[in-house]
Amino acid sequence: MANIYELRRYGRFAFLISAAAVVACFFYFSNTLVSELAVQERERMQIWADATKEIVSSPDADIDFLLRIIEGNTTIPVLLTDDQGNILRHRNFNLPAPQIPDEYGFYTDPPENTEYLRRKLRRLQADASNKIDIEIAPGLMQHLYYEDSTLLRRMSWYPLIQLVVMLAFVAVVYFAVLSTKKAEQNKVWVGLSKETAHQLGTPISSLMAWMELLPDYGVDADTIAEMNKDINRLSMIASRFSKIGSVPKMEAADLAALVDQAASYMNSRISPRISLRWNSSDHPAQIPVRASAPLLEWVIENLIKNAVDAMEGSGKITVTTKSDADAARAVIEVSDTGKGIARKNFKTVFNPGYTTKSRGWGLGLTLAKRIIEEYHGGRIFVKDSTPGVGTTFRIELPQAPRPEC
C-alpha cells in the first residue's frame, strides 16, 4: 500500500511538471510574438527614416509617396533630432498641452510640451536600442528615436498576464482534484465505519445471549467475567465505528484517567516481552479536557498497537501525559523503540491506505488524525523518529478550565 502513495506522489509531480511545461510553452510563444512585433516596429521605423532621408537628399523623390509613409505612422512615438540634439520633428506623443498656432498658422509647442519632449529625448538617448542614424548628406546626420507603440507595450505585458492566469488555473484544478478526492475518501470511510458497526451488531447481540446460557453449562465465573469484558469491548468498538461521520458528544473528562484506562487495557493484551509504561505522576492529578472518551481512548490504543507492531515482538513503549499551562493545552506522547519512520513519511503515515504491515487497511492513523483534529480541535503528528531507534507521536488538545472547588 505504501507503493500506491509513492505512485500518487510521482503522479502529482508529473502533473505539476506537465503543467509547468505547458505554461512555459505558452509563455515562450507569447514572448516570441512580442519580440517579432518589436522587430516589425523597428523595420517600420527604418522605412520612416529612409523616407525622411529621401525627402531631404533627393530632389527627384516622390514627395507625396514619402510623406504618406511618414504620416502613415500613427502609433509609434517618434523624435527626430540633429547632431546637436535639437528636436526637429515629433509624432504620436501624448503631449501635456495642445499645440498653439502662431500668427502665420504654424503650430508650435508651448513650453511644457518642449520640456516634456526634452525629457523624453534624454531618456531615449540613454537607451540607444531604439535609435536609427540618418545620413542626410556627407557629414550631416540626423537621429531618429522612437518608443514602443501602445500596442507593443500592452503586448509586452501579455505573456506575464498569461503566465499568472495559467498558473492560477493549474493551481485551481490541482486543489479542486485534491478536494474532490478527499471528499470521496471521507464518504468511503464514513460508509465503511457505519457498515462495520452495523455488521458487528448482530454477532455481538448473539454472543450476549449465549453468555446468559454459559452458567448452565458449568463454565466457571472467572472465565465468564473475562469473556464479558471482551464482549463489552466489542460493543464499545462497534459504538466507536458508528460515531465516525457524526459529531460526537463532547464532555468534560480527565485526560490522565483516559490514558490510564486505555493503557491499562492494552497492557494486559500485549506480549510480556514488551514493556508498556505510562506516567503522569510528575504533573497534576487531573488534566481537564473536553473530549469524546470512547474515541480518544481509541486513538491512544491505536498508537500503542502501532508501537507494538513497530517493535516486532520486544521493546519498550512509554506513554506520557502532561499539561502545558503556558499554551493552555494538554499533551500525550507515545514513544516506542521500534523500527522508526523515515522523515519523508512523517505526513504520509496519516494518509488512508498507508501501511508497512502485510495485513491491514492502513486506516488507523487516518481515523486518529480525523478524531483528534476534526472532532477535538487538536493536533497529532510525528514529533520525532529515527530509523532503527524509535518513534514518538504527539497529540495536543485544548485544555479545558479546571472545575471550581
Side-chain angles (χ1 to χ4, degrees), residues 226-242:
E226 288 300 317
M227 292 178 68
N228 270 320
K229 288 181 182 178
D230 287 331
I231 291 174
N232 291 334
R233 191 68 185 176
L234 285 173
S235 297
M236 180 182 292
I237 290 171
S239 175
R240 290 172 176 174
F241 274 106
S242 68

Side-chain angles (χ1 to χ4, degrees), residues 301-316:
E301 292 169 13
N302 187 272
L303 292 179
I304 294 174
K305 287 178 183 177
N306 285 347
V308 171
D309 292 335
M311 290 185 294
E312 299 179 341
S314 64
K316 180 180 178 181

Side-chain angles (χ1 to χ4, degrees), residues 322-385:
K322 55 187 176 181
S323 172
D324 187 348
D326 294 336
R329 64 190 176 191
V331 176
I332 307 170
E333 291 186 354
V334 179
S335 302
D336 64 59
T337 56
K339 56 189 175 183
I341 301 170
R343 181 166 292 276
K344 67 177 183 177
N345 292 327
F346 276 17
K347 293 183 178 180
T348 309
V349 293
F350 294 101
N351 289 336
Y354 180 91
T355 180
T356 58
K357 295 179 287 187
S358 59
R359 293 182 298 174
W361 291 354
L363 292 177
L365 287 176
T366 302
L367 294 174
K369 184 178 180 66
R370 179 169 186 158
I371 290 168
I372 294 298
E373 296 187 355
E374 295 188 20
Y375 296 158
H376 290 81
R379 296 175 62 210
I380 180 172
F381 55 94
V382 180
K383 178 184 177 183
D384 184 44
S385 186

Side-chain angles (χ1 to χ4, degrees), residues 51-361:
T52 301
K53 178 180 178 181
E54 286 295 316
I55 289 175
V56 175
S57 60
S58 178
D60 298 329
D62 187 344
I63 302 299
D64 291 337
F65 173 71
L66 296 174
L67 287 175
R68 283 199 302 272
I69 292 176
I70 294 173
E71 293 174 357
N73 171 32
T74 59
T75 59
I76 304 174
V78 178
L79 279 175
L80 186 66
T81 71
D82 58 18
D83 273 335
Q84 285 72 43
N86 299 311
I87 299 175
L88 305 176
R89 189 180 301 170
H90 63 83
R91 289 182 68 84
N92 303 325
F93 283 99
N94 187 17
L95 299 173
Q99 292 181 311
I100 303 172
D102 60 15
E103 56 183 320
Y104 302 105
F106 294 101
Y107 285 87
T108 58
D109 288 306
E112 53 266 43
N113 285 1
T114 303
E115 180 58 30
Y116 172 84
L117 292 170
R118 285 175 180 168
R119 288 198 303 270
K120 283 286 186 182
L121 177 60
R122 286 194 293 270
R123 188 174 64 82
L124 290 170
Q125 287 175 333
D127 179 14
S129 59
N130 287 7
K131 175 187 177 184
I132 298 176
D133 296 321
I134 307 172
E135 187 177 8
I136 302 300
L140 181 62
M141 299 290 294
Q142 291 184 355
H143 308 282
L144 184 147
Y145 298 91
Y146 65 95
E147 288 185 338
D148 295 336
S149 66
T150 303
L151 175 62
L152 181 57
R153 287 198 299 271
R154 290 176 179 174
M155 284 293 294
S156 65
W157 285 100
Y158 178 71
L160 296 177
I161 295 173
Q162 188 181 47
L163 177 63
V164 172
V165 171
M166 289 288 292
L167 291 176
F169 175 75
V170 170
V172 168
V173 171
Y174 180 74
F175 287 110
V177 170
L178 289 184
S179 299
T180 302
K181 284 186 177 179
K182 186 174 182 180
E184 291 176 352
Q185 289 171 349
N186 285 340
K187 290 180 180 179
V188 171
W189 302 334
V190 171
L192 178 63
S193 299
K194 291 188 178 297
E195 180 63 20
T196 301
H198 177 72
Q199 294 294 336
L200 285 173
T202 301
I204 289 172
S205 298
S206 178
L207 287 172
M208 287 180 174
W210 278 104
M211 290 298 297
E212 298 294 329
L213 299 176
L214 288 181
D216 297 337
Y217 288 90
V219 179
D220 66 274
D222 290 340
T223 301
I224 293 173
E226 288 300 317
M227 292 178 68
N228 270 320
K229 288 181 182 178
D230 287 331
I231 291 174
N232 291 334
R233 191 68 185 176
L234 285 173
S235 297
M236 180 182 292
I237 290 171
S239 175
R240 290 172 176 174
F241 274 106
S242 68
K243 288 181 172 63
I244 299 297
S246 304
V247 178
K249 184 178 180 181
M250 311 299 286
E251 298 176 333
D254 176 16
L255 184 62
L258 293 179
V259 170
D260 181 78
Q261 185 170 334
S264 297
Y265 175 80
M266 293 300 299
N267 190 44
S268 62
R269 286 163 174 79
I270 61 177
S271 169
R273 293 186 298 167
I274 295 178
S275 170
L276 174 58
R277 299 179 181 275
W278 59 100
N279 178 21
S280 59
S281 61
D282 56 339
H283 298 282
Q286 290 189 341
I287 303 177
V289 294
R290 289 193 61 79
S292 169
L295 293 181
L296 193 54
E297 287 180 24
W298 187 6
V299 172
I300 298 166
E301 292 169 13
N302 187 272
L303 292 179
I304 294 174
K305 287 178 183 177
N306 285 347
V308 171
D309 292 335
M311 290 185 294
E312 299 179 341
S314 64
K316 180 180 178 181
I317 302 173
T318 304
V319 183
T320 305
T321 310
K322 55 187 176 181
S323 172
D324 187 348
D326 294 336
R329 64 190 176 191
V331 176
I332 307 170
E333 291 186 354
V334 179
S335 302
D336 64 59
T337 56
K339 56 189 175 183
I341 301 170
R343 181 166 292 276
K344 67 177 183 177
N345 292 327
F346 276 17
K347 293 183 178 180
T348 309
V349 293
F350 294 101
N351 289 336
Y354 180 91
T355 180
T356 58
K357 295 179 287 187
S358 59
R359 293 182 298 174
W361 291 354

